[in-house]
Amino acid sequence: MALFFDQAWYDERLAERGLARAVLAAVAGMSGEELALAYKDQRELTAAQIAAFAEVLGVSLAEAARRAGVGAHAASPPAGLSLDQKVASLEQRVAALEAELARLKS
């Protein structure tokens, strides 16, 4: 069981998908600096951020949480979100990814 953020594993999953750390940060609603701190175990991650990581990497929530070095509390989605809130959150993530893609293309 990982006790610390598994940087190599996360970077390998990103490389498999042809993605940069900036995309992972954007999807989770984080800045690059915040993600860098999480990679160095200097910033805690929320359950929603772990869920975003799992989604973009195509792995289970439990695996993403374990590899991020967080406890079981992050392996469950945030409670109390309505379907509309979940859809809005996904739309926000897609918009962030599209903005990052447009930035990379220019």
Side-chain angles (χ1 to χ4, degrees), residues 44-47 65 70-77:
E44 289 189 32
L45 296 165
T46 67
V70 298
H73 68 281
S76 3

Side-chain angles (χ1 to χ4, degrees), residues 23 94-106:
V23 173
V94 168
L97 285 172
E98 288 174 342
E100 180 66 16
L101 182 60
R103 185 189 68 77
L104 291 171
K105 286 183 177 179
S106 57

Side-chain angles (χ1 to χ4, degrees), residues 32-101:
E33 293 80 19
E34 289 171 324
L35 182 64
L37 290 174
Y39 261 62
K40 295 186 285 186
D41 295 309
Q42 295 176 349
R43 183 187 188 282
E44 289 189 32
L45 296 165
T46 67
Q49 289 166 336
I50 297 292
F53 290 175
E55 185 178 331
V56 77
L57 296 176
V59 299
S60 72
L61 190 55
E63 180 73 0
R66 186 173 70 80
R67 297 294 186 150
V70 298
H73 68 281
S76 3
L81 291 182
S82 71
L83 181 57
D84 287 341
Q85 289 171 317
K86 290 177 185 175
V87 169
S89 173
L90 289 172
E91 288 174 341
Q92 183 179 27
R93 289 186 209 161
V94 168
L97 285 172
E98 288 174 342
E100 180 66 16
L101 182 60

